[in-house]
Amino acid sequence: QEQLVESGGGLVQAGGSLRLSCVVSGSIFAINNMGWYRQAPGKERDLVAALTGGAMRNYAGSVRDRFIISEDSTKNTVYLQMTGLKPEDTAVYYCNRVPPMTINGAPYWGRGTQVTVSS
Protein backbone atom coordinates (compact mmCIF):
# COMPACT_ATOMS: atom_id res chain seq x y z
CA GLN A 1 0.00 0.00 0.00
CA GLU A 2 1.05 3.58 -0.49
CA GLN A 3 2.38 5.55 2.44
CA LEU A 4 1.92 9.29 2.81
CA VAL A 5 4.22 11.39 4.97
CA GLU A 6 3.46 15.08 5.26
CA SER A 7 5.82 17.67 6.68
CA GLY A 8 6.51 21.39 6.69
CA GLY A 9 3.72 22.69 8.88
CA GLY A 10 4.24 25.06 11.74
CA LEU A 11 3.16 28.24 13.45
CA VAL A 12 3.24 31.43 11.40
CA GLN A 13 1.74 34.88 11.63
CA ALA A 14 -0.89 36.10 9.22
CA GLY A 15 0.67 36.99 5.90
CA GLY A 16 3.44 34.45 6.27
CA SER A 17 4.41 31.56 4.03
CA LEU A 18 4.98 27.84 4.36
CA ARG A 19 5.86 25.03 1.99
CA LEU A 20 4.38 21.64 2.75
CA SER A 21 5.87 18.43 1.44
CA CYS A 22 4.33 15.01 0.98
CA VAL A 23 6.49 11.99 0.28
CA VAL A 24 4.63 9.12 -1.33
CA SER A 25 6.17 5.68 -0.93
CA GLY A 26 5.16 2.11 -1.51
CA SER A 27 3.99 0.29 -4.59
CA ILE A 28 3.20 3.20 -6.85
CA PHE A 29 3.62 3.72 -10.55
CA ALA A 30 3.00 7.43 -10.85
CA ILE A 31 2.53 10.42 -8.59
CA ASN A 32 -0.47 11.79 -10.40
CA ASN A 33 -3.98 12.57 -9.25
CA MET A 34 -2.73 13.93 -5.94
CA GLY A 35 -4.18 16.63 -3.78
CA TRP A 36 -3.91 18.51 -0.55
CA TYR A 37 -6.77 18.37 1.91
CA ARG A 38 -7.24 20.20 5.16
CA GLN A 39 -9.42 19.79 8.19
CA ALA A 40 -10.03 22.59 10.65
CA PRO A 41 -11.54 22.00 14.09
CA GLY A 42 -15.24 21.32 13.83
CA LYS A 43 -15.19 21.22 10.05
CA GLU A 44 -15.13 18.57 7.37
CA ARG A 45 -11.97 17.62 5.56
CA ASP A 46 -11.90 19.57 2.31
CA LEU A 47 -9.83 19.33 -0.83
CA VAL A 48 -8.04 22.64 -1.35
CA ALA A 49 -5.58 21.90 -4.16
CA ALA A 50 -5.40 19.12 -6.72
CA LEU A 51 -3.00 17.94 -9.37
CA THR A 52 -4.85 15.71 -11.79
CA GLY A 53 -4.61 14.44 -15.31
CA GLY A 54 -1.47 15.35 -17.15
CA ALA A 55 -0.87 18.75 -15.62
CA MET A 56 -4.20 20.10 -14.47
CA ARG A 57 -4.23 22.11 -11.26
CA ASN A 58 -7.35 23.13 -9.42
CA TYR A 59 -7.86 25.09 -6.24
CA ALA A 60 -10.63 25.80 -3.85
CA GLY A 61 -11.80 29.38 -4.07
CA SER A 62 -10.60 30.06 -0.55
CA VAL A 63 -6.96 29.41 -1.50
CA ARG A 64 -6.82 30.32 -5.17
CA ASP A 65 -4.07 32.82 -5.98
CA ARG A 66 -2.36 32.07 -2.66
CA PHE A 67 -1.50 28.35 -2.81
CA ILE A 68 0.38 26.46 -5.51
CA ILE A 69 0.50 22.69 -5.79
CA SER A 70 3.44 21.08 -7.55
CA GLU A 71 5.28 17.81 -7.71
CA ASP A 72 8.68 16.27 -8.28
CA SER A 73 8.07 12.86 -9.77
CA THR A 74 11.72 11.87 -9.41
CA LYS A 75 11.33 12.17 -5.64
CA ASN A 76 7.72 11.00 -5.40
CA THR A 77 6.98 14.24 -3.60
CA VAL A 78 4.07 16.65 -3.78
CA TYR A 79 4.40 20.21 -2.52
CA LEU A 80 2.04 22.92 -1.44
CA GLN A 81 3.48 26.41 -1.45
CA MET A 82 1.33 28.65 0.69
CA THR A 83 1.61 32.42 0.79
CA GLY A 84 -0.49 35.13 2.31
CA LEU A 85 -1.62 32.79 5.05
CA LYS A 86 -4.71 33.72 6.98
CA PRO A 87 -5.97 32.56 10.37
CA GLU A 88 -8.75 30.68 8.60
CA ASP A 89 -6.09 28.54 6.92
CA THR A 90 -5.37 26.96 10.30
CA ALA A 91 -5.92 23.23 9.93
CA VAL A 92 -4.27 19.87 9.69
CA TYR A 93 -3.13 19.42 6.12
CA TYR A 94 -3.08 16.02 4.44
CA CYS A 95 -2.00 14.79 1.07
CA ASN A 96 -3.77 11.95 -0.67
CA ARG A 97 -4.96 10.68 -3.98
CA VAL A 98 -7.87 12.38 -5.67
CA PRO A 99 -10.22 10.79 -4.78
CA PRO A 100 -8.69 9.53 -1.50
CA MET A 101 -7.40 5.99 -1.43
CA THR A 102 -9.19 3.38 0.61
CA ILE A 103 -7.95 0.46 2.69
CA ASN A 104 -10.50 -2.30 3.27
CA GLY A 105 -13.28 0.09 2.37
CA ALA A 106 -12.16 2.92 4.66
CA PRO A 107 -10.34 6.06 3.54
CA TYR A 108 -6.66 6.02 4.36
CA TRP A 109 -4.97 9.14 5.67
CA GLY A 110 -1.49 9.87 6.87
CA ARG A 111 -0.76 11.77 10.05
CA GLY A 112 -0.96 15.14 8.35
CA THR A 113 0.92 18.27 9.30
CA GLN A 114 -0.43 21.06 11.47
CA VAL A 115 -0.56 24.59 10.11
CA THR A 116 -1.42 27.30 12.60
CA VAL A 117 -1.76 30.92 11.53
CA SER A 118 -1.97 33.55 14.22
CA SER A 119 -3.41 37.02 13.83
Side-chain angles (χ1 to χ4, degrees):
Q1 301 293 331
E2 291 187 349
Q3 293 179 312
L4 308 166
V5 180
E6 301 96 340
S7 63
L11 173 64
V12 298
Q13 295 187 14
S17 301
L18 286 172
R19 188 181 74 162
L20 308 183
S21 298
C22 170
V23 178
V24 184
S25 61
S27 299
I28 61 174
F29 297 101
I31 187 168
N32 55 6
N33 300 314
M34 296 293 298
W36 284 95
Y37 303 74
R38 70 184 182 187
Q39 186 170 31
K43 297 184 178 180
E44 297 182 350
R45 200 189 319 250
D46 294 324
L47 178 67
V48 297
L51 177 63
T52 59
M56 297 179 63
R57 291 163 170 79
N58 293 288
Y59 302 93
S62 58
V63 308
R64 187 171 291 114
D65 299 326
R66 297 189 297 118
F67 293 6
I68 299 175
I69 186 171
S70 62
E71 86 293 338
D72 184 342
S73 60
T74 67
K75 298 180 179 180
N76 288 336
T77 301
V78 183
Y79 303 96
L80 185 67
Q81 179 66 52
M82 306 183 294
T83 59
L85 285 164
K86 305 175 180 179
E88 52 263 43
D89 294 319
T90 296
V92 178
Y93 284 71
Y94 305 85
C95 67
N96 212 327
R97 296 286 182 178
V98 181
M101 71 176 73
T102 60
I103 304 295
N104 295 324
Y108 169 80
W109 299 94
R111 292 185 294 274
T113 185
Q114 176 72 52
V115 172
T116 303
V117 185
S118 64
S119 59

